[in-house]
Amino acid sequence: MSSLTPLSSLRVSKHLIPASSRAPNTSVQHKPVLIYHSAFPCPSSAAAIESHLRHVGVVVPQWRFTMYDTSHYHSTTHEVLCVSHGRARLCLGGEDNPGKVEPLVEAGDVLVLPAGVAHRLLQDLDGGFQMVGSYPAGKEWDMCYGGPEEEDQSERIRALSWFEKDPIYGTNGPVLDNTS
């Protein structure tokens, strides 16, 4: 794998997103959404990203796909999304949440989504937007849509441990500096 952007040059966006009526967002664990801008060199294939993730060993790549265009979150695990192709505008936090964030992400970017953060694709800007979806070893992801039939997921989310190493950079990295 080509070298990553050095930590000293890496631009990171951090977002604490308040709970909404449909998702707990970052209100349970108080860990911010992190976006590592251009962490991977462009171009980086999905296979090269997966190889890097396996080498670091914090998360396990499980799929290659775009992001669903329906707002959803995971209550059983944190999620690491590495953009392997294209550019897109996302909605983080839920459409009706005044505290939502709508970032533009592109190939080379990494998103670290704490459990409970609602996310969806708003617009695939170039066609073919694709990510590598990864989760901590031993964790299985669920799909929560914030519907009234779903029970409160806060206790399940609260019980999840945070990363002990950064999923991209290993022993150092932004995920370990979890202040907002």
Side-chain angles (χ1 to χ4, degrees):
M1 168 98 224
S2 303
S3 61
L4 296 171
T5 295
L7 277 172
S8 60
S9 302
L10 183 67
R11 188 170 67 87
V12 178
S13 299
K14 299 179 180 187
H15 305 281
L16 286 172
I17 303 171
S20 70
S21 61
R22 299 185 58 104
N25 293 313
T26 62
S27 69
V28 177
Q29 287 198 343
H30 307 288
K31 304 292 186 196
V33 169
L34 299 170
I35 302 173
Y36 302 8
H37 301 277
S38 302
F40 287 99
C42 284
S44 287
S45 69
I49 291 169
E50 290 166 347
S51 175
H52 177 81
L53 295 172
R54 285 188 193 95
H55 175 75
V56 174
V58 174
V59 294
V60 178
Q62 293 190 14
W63 53 262
R64 297 177 188 178
F65 196 62
T66 187
M67 184 179 282
Y68 291 123
D69 61 6
T70 300
S71 197
H72 65 284
Y73 67 91
H74 310 293
S75 70
T76 55
T77 185
H78 308 299
E79 184 172 36
V80 176
L81 302 172
C82 301
V83 182
S84 58
H85 186 267
R87 298 179 311 133
R89 171 107 22 227
L90 309 177
C91 180
L92 306 176
E95 298 86 350
D96 299 330
N97 186 345
K100 71 184 175 207
V101 177
E102 294 184 353
L104 173 68
V105 296
E106 58 190 359
D109 290 352
V110 174
L111 292 93
V112 178
L113 299 179
V117 173
H119 51 286
R120 73 172 284 238
L121 176 70
L122 288 177
Q123 184 180 15
D124 180 340
L125 297 169
D126 301 322
F129 177 69
Q130 188 177 71
M131 303 175 300
V132 172
S134 304
Y135 307 88
K139 296 292 182 185
E140 295 293 326
W141 50 275
D142 62 349
M143 294 292 286
C144 299
Y145 300 97
E149 71 282 355
E150 291 176 349
E151 61 188 62
D152 181 32
Q153 302 292 342
S154 295
E155 288 307 312
R156 177 183 285 170
I157 293 167
R158 190 172 286 111
L160 292 172
S161 58
W162 191 241
F163 297 96
E164 292 184 17
K165 290 182 9 180
D166 190 273
I168 307 302
Y169 288 91
T171 56
N172 294 307
V175 83
L176 301 174
D177 174 23
N178 52 41
T179 58
S180 56

